[in-house]
Amino acid sequence: MIQRNMQLDEQGRLRHFLSIEGLKRALLVEILDLAESFAGVTEQTVKKVPLLRGKTIVNLFFESSTRTRTTFELAAKRLSADVLNLNITASATAKGETLLDTLRNLEAMHCDMFVVRHAESGAAHFIAANVAPHVHVVNAGDGRHAHPTQAMLDMFTIRRVKGEFAPLTVAIVGDILHSRVARSQIHALTTLGVNEVRVIGPKTLIPTAVETLGVHVFHDLRAGLKGADVVIALRLQNERMQGALLPSEHEYFQLYGLTEDKLAAAKPDAIVMHPGPINRGVEIASSVADGPQSVILQQVTHGIAVRMAVMAMAMGTVPLGEGKAA
Amino acid sequence: MSHNYTVDKLLDNMAADLQQRLTARGVRDPLLIGIHSGGVWVAERLHGLLKLSEPLGKLDISFYRDDFTRIGLNPAVRPSQLPTTVDDRHIVLVDDVLYTGRTIRAALNEIFDYGRPASVLLAVLVDRGGRELPINADVVGTQMDLAPDEQVKLTGPVPLGLSVKRGG
C-alpha cells in the first residue's frame, strides 16, 4: 500500500484540510491566491458565487465556538452551499451515540462536507478516515493539535500587509503549550519560508522540544520581540490548564502581556495579531488590541475568504467513479 | 497542423462595427469588460482603438462555471476587477472565442451579481460555431467553421495571433 497524505487525492489536490503539516508551499500559496479572488466577492452587490450550489455543509462542533463557526457558515453561504450547524455536545453524544453513528446518520442525509471542531487532538483525521469517498472534511480545530484555517487566514493577513514572507521575523507570544493555533502557524510560517519564527512564553507554557519545529524559544518578552515584523499574541487557555502552570493572571500580564511599552521593542511597523477571543488585560492590553498596529479585526474578515478558498478547493476534487478505493 | 493569423485587421473592423452600434444606440460611455485571459487582451485593444478613458473591467468567471462539479476549480483563478458600479451602465462584454456559449452565460451571471446594467453587447474576435446555448455575438471579428476536434486559440498578449490546432 502506498502511504500518502490523506489530505490529498491521487493528483495531489486538496481533498480534506486537516493540518498544515505535510502540505507543500505551492499548495499553501494556492490557498492564499484563491482566497484573494474570493475576497473580491464581498465587493459584489450579491455577495455570493454559485460554486457550491446544491451542496450541503455541516458545521460539526463538539466544542463551542462563535467566531470560527460563524465565519465558516458565512463562507459556505457565500459559496451558495446549504449549511447545517450542529452543536453535538448538547445532542447526540449526550444520549450515548458514538461519533461514527453520528457520522453515518449525517452521511445518510447526503451531506458533502463536515467542518469539524473537537476537543480531542486527531478527531478530524479520525472522521476523515471514516467518511464516504465523496465527503470532505475540514478541521476547524482539534484539541491541541491543529487549527489550519486559522493559520491560513493569519498567513493571508501577513501577506496582505507585509507582501513577502522571506524577510519576516514572526514572534508568537503566550500559551504555546495549549495552542493548536500556534502549532499550525509554526508549520505554515516555516513552510512559507519566513526568516525566523520565535515563540515567547514562560517555561510552563512552552512545549518541550518545540525547537525541533524550527523555532527559537525566548522566555523574556522584550528580548523575543526585538526586531519582530509580526507579533502574534495567543489567548491564555485557562479552560485547558490542569495544575498550577501560572501564579496569577495579573503576574502573567506583568511579564507576558503585550503592552505599548513592550511592543516598542518590535519594529516600528510591526503588526499585532490575535486569533481571538482576546482576554483584555491578560495577554494583551486594550490599547494594543485596539491600537494602530493591530490587524485583529482584519484577521476576522480574512477568515471568510480563506475558508471559502479551502472549501471550494476540497469540494472541487470529486472522486470520479473509480475513487471508491478502500 | 497549425495555422497562424494576425488579428490587427480583425480588431480594426471590430472597433468600427462596435462604434457604429454604440452610436446607433446613443451610448457614449460604454464600459468594456474583458473575460480572462484572451478576452482581456482583445478588450484592451478595442479600448485603445475606441479611445475610451474609463479603465477596462476584467472578469474571471471561474466561480460561475457550470463544470465545477466535473473538473473542479481552475487553479489559476484571479480576482475579477470591475472599475465602477455596473448599475445602469451600457456594457460591452468582450471575449476571444465564442464556442458553446457557456462562458458568456457564466459572465452574464457574474455581471448581474455586481448590479443591473442598462444593456450588454457581446463582441468576440472569433465565432467558431458549435453553440449549446441561445447566445449570439453582436460584433464578430471573424467566423470560423471548425470541426469539434479543432481548437482555435488566441496567443498573446503581444503580438496577438490566432492559431488553429487539430486534436488536444
Side-chain angles (χ1 to χ4, degrees):
Chain A
M1 193 187 126
I2 303 159
Q3 197 69 40
R4 63 179 167 84
N5 191 331
M6 70 181 294
Q7 302 189 80
L8 305 176
D9 71 359
E10 290 81 355
Q11 285 103 51
R13 298 180 304 174
L14 198 68
R15 184 165 129 60
H16 305 295
F17 192 50
L18 309 173
S19 161
I20 305 282
E21 210 178 343
L23 298 182
K24 292 206 162 61
R25 183 186 296 191
L27 192 89
L28 300 190
V29 171
E30 191 185 333
I31 293 172
L32 297 178
D33 288 347
L34 190 57
E36 202 65 62
S37 296
F38 280 123
V41 172
T42 50
E43 291 158 24
Q44 299 179 191
T45 310
V46 179
K47 292 176 184 43
K48 242 180 194 324
V49 290
L51 219 47
L52 299 186
R53 206 159 55 96
K55 301 285 184 189
T56 306
I57 295 177
V58 182
N59 277 329
L60 210 51
F61 278 58
F62 297 87
E63 195 184 73
S64 65
S65 155
T66 308
R67 185 182 0 262
T68 303
R69 189 188 54 69
T70 313
T71 47
F72 263 112
E73 181 174 353
L74 214 45
K77 286 181 170 170
R78 290 205 175 149
L79 292 167
S80 304
D82 295 315
V83 187
L84 224 61
N85 288 312
L86 290 185
N87 187 356
I88 304 289
T89 36
S91 65
T93 47
K95 295 175 191 164
E97 189 179 52
T98 70
L99 180 54
L100 282 179
D101 283 333
T102 307
L103 284 181
R104 293 289 167 258
N105 276 280
L106 289 168
E107 275 176 11
M109 297 174 205
H110 299 290
C111 295
D112 302 285
M113 173 177 272
F114 296 135
V115 176
V116 182
R117 163 160 299 192
H118 202 289
E120 292 294 327
S121 301
H125 282 78
F126 175 78
I127 290 171
N130 285 285
V131 289
H134 72 278
V135 178
H136 307 275
V137 178
V138 174
N139 185 1
D142 61 327
R144 297 182 186 186
H145 173 244
H147 193 350
T149 58
Q150 175 70 44
M152 288 313 291
L153 74 89
D154 294 332
M155 299 307 115
F156 186 82
T157 306
I158 292 171
R159 193 175 78 164
R160 273 220 161 169
V161 181
K162 296 290 178 188
E164 295 289 313
F165 288 103
L168 300 180
T169 296
V170 181
I172 306 173
V173 187
D175 184 359
I176 313 289
L177 181 66
H178 300 95
S179 179
R180 54 193 174 211
V181 173
R183 275 169 192 71
S184 287
Q185 284 169 339
I186 290 168
H187 286 300
L189 289 165
T190 51
T191 304
L192 289 166
V194 297
N195 177 50
E196 187 185 355
V197 183
R198 301 173 183 168
V199 296
I200 310 169
K203 285 197 173 71
T204 49
L205 294 181
I206 303 273
T208 49
V210 70
E211 297 90 343
T212 56
L213 296 178
V215 302
H216 293 126
V217 177
F218 291 79
H219 299 299
D220 179 79
L221 181 56
R222 274 176 224 273
L225 290 182
K226 195 162 184 290
D229 300 280
V230 177
V231 181
I232 303 173
L234 295 174
R235 186 172 66 87
L236 201 58
Q237 301 195 32
N238 281 321
E239 76 278 15
R240 289 186 215 275
M241 290 192 189
Q242 292 157 354
L245 295 175
L246 287 176
S248 74
E249 284 188 354
H250 178 72
E251 191 171 330
Y252 181 80
F253 183 69
Q254 291 302 317
L255 288 170
Y256 294 102
L258 202 56
T259 58
E260 286 177 277
D261 177 48
K262 292 181 198 132
L263 183 60
K267 282 193 185 157
D269 65 345
I271 54 169
V272 174
M273 301 170 65
H274 192 300
I278 57 177
N279 296 319
R280 291 168 185 270
V282 180
E283 69 265 354
I284 190 166
S286 278
S287 60
V288 174
D290 307 328
Q293 287 168 274
S294 167
V295 293
I296 294 172
L297 291 177
Q298 291 172 47
Q299 287 175 268
V300 178
T301 306
H302 295 160
I304 300 168
V306 167
R307 286 170 176 136
M308 286 171 81
V310 170
M311 289 197 269
M313 280 171 72
M315 296 279 251
T317 58
V318 192
L320 297 166
E322 83 290 348
K324 302 243 176 197
Chain B
M1 187 70 179
S2 164
H3 294 289
N4 285 296
Y5 304 86
T6 53
V7 299
D8 290 358
K9 186 76 190 136
L10 301 179
L11 287 165
D12 287 342
N13 293 342
M14 282 175 76
D17 191 2
L18 185 56
Q19 186 60 67
Q20 208 172 16
R21 281 169 191 271
L22 290 170
T23 309
R25 289 187 178 205
V27 177
R28 288 190 190 167
D29 56 341
L31 173 59
L32 252 63
I33 298 178
I35 299 173
H36 272 300
S37 332
V40 172
W41 298 339
V42 175
E44 276 166 352
R45 298 286 296 270
L46 292 176
H47 190 265
L49 290 166
L50 294 175
K51 299 184 174 60
L52 299 172
S53 52
E54 190 180 359
L56 194 72
K58 295 172 185 176
L59 218 51
D60 189 314
I61 54 108
S62 299
F63 299 149
Y64 289 80
R65 293 181 67 98
D66 58 11
D67 52 7
F68 171 70
T69 54
R70 295 186 186 191
I71 60 169
L73 202 57
N74 168 17
V77 51
R78 280 145 298 193
S80 292
Q81 302 164 334
L82 295 186
T84 50
T85 171
V86 301
D87 281 327
D88 303 319
R89 296 299 306 272
H90 293 278
I91 289 174
V92 179
L93 185 59
V94 183
D95 205 0
D96 48 359
V97 180
L98 179 58
Y99 184 22
T100 61
R102 290 177 190 269
T103 300
I104 304 304
R105 194 283 307 166
L108 287 171
N109 279 20
E110 177 158 5
I111 289 170
F112 276 77
D113 278 354
Y114 279 87
R116 183 182 186 276
S119 71
V120 182
L121 280 173
L122 177 60
V124 299
L125 186 63
V126 179
D127 180 352
R128 60 157 295 177
R131 218 78 78 237
E132 293 169 0
L133 295 174
I135 283 172
N136 266 316
D138 301 283
V139 174
V140 176
T142 183
Q143 306 267 358
M144 286 187 185
D145 192 14
L146 299 178
D149 69 336
E150 285 180 310
Q151 272 201 329
V152 56
K153 197 170 160 25
L154 183 67
T155 54
V158 185
L160 285 183
L162 284 171
S163 74
V164 177
K165 278 183 190 157
R166 188 173 281 274

